[in-house]
Amino acid sequence: MSGSVSSAPGTLSEAQKVDVRRFCGYPAYGAGAAGFQSWRFFQAYGTLEYRMNNLAAEEVAVVANYLATLAALEVAIPEASGNLDTEAAAGWQHNANEVRDRAALFDQWRRRLCGFLGLPPGPALGPSDGITLIV
């Protein structure tokens, strides 16, 4: 997580906004209003920006909790790779699906954040049904 401290009560810091965008599967915002900005062309991205800039203080607190949970889940995925070279040791048995299971749990919480904000998962998160259609 880039940062969890709000710049003012009832607002998300810029670092928190970056985390919300990436956890929700939306592309980087960029440096500002100059040039092509995808949120101008995609309704869901515009909704995301509006929501992040207009949350009530209580909603910011909920989003901050989601960000803390998601940061912990995100870090746990690469840490699980340390067990990939060992199937069993003493009484310990490796879960062969640990990385997949952790990634699925992470994505489930990412979708919950999207649901709380009232928007569909972004392009990087994809649909929840596992089917992606490209036309």
Side-chain angles (χ1 to χ4, degrees), residues 1-123:
M1 184 165 77
S2 301
S4 62
V5 178
S6 292
S7 54
T11 62
L12 293 171
S13 70
E14 289 304 313
Q16 287 174 312
K17 289 179 184 179
V18 168
D19 284 340
V20 168
R21 286 183 199 106
R22 77 186 180 83
F23 285 142
C24 288
Y26 288 89
Y29 179 78
F36 174 81
Q37 294 294 321
S38 62
W39 65 268
R40 293 181 179 169
F41 301 99
F42 300 103
Q43 183 177 355
Y45 203 160
T47 300
L48 171 61
E49 295 302 315
Y50 176 82
R51 296 261 166 83
M52 287 192 301
N53 291 321
N54 294 285
L55 293 171
E58 298 81 6
E59 293 167 329
V60 169
V62 171
V63 170
N65 285 333
Y66 271 106
L67 294 179
T69 299
L70 285 162
L73 291 171
E74 182 179 41
V75 168
I77 296 169
E79 288 177 353
S81 68
N83 296 328
L84 294 178
D85 62 346
T86 306
E87 186 174 328
W92 176 80
Q93 182 74 34
H94 178 247
N95 173 2
N97 299 318
E98 181 180 7
V99 173
R100 183 198 68 196
D101 294 347
R102 286 183 184 276
L105 179 62
F106 175 59
D107 286 349
Q108 179 185 39
W109 275 91
R110 292 172 69 193
R111 291 178 194 290
R112 293 177 92 178
L113 175 59
C114 291
F116 176 73
L117 293 171
L119 38 112

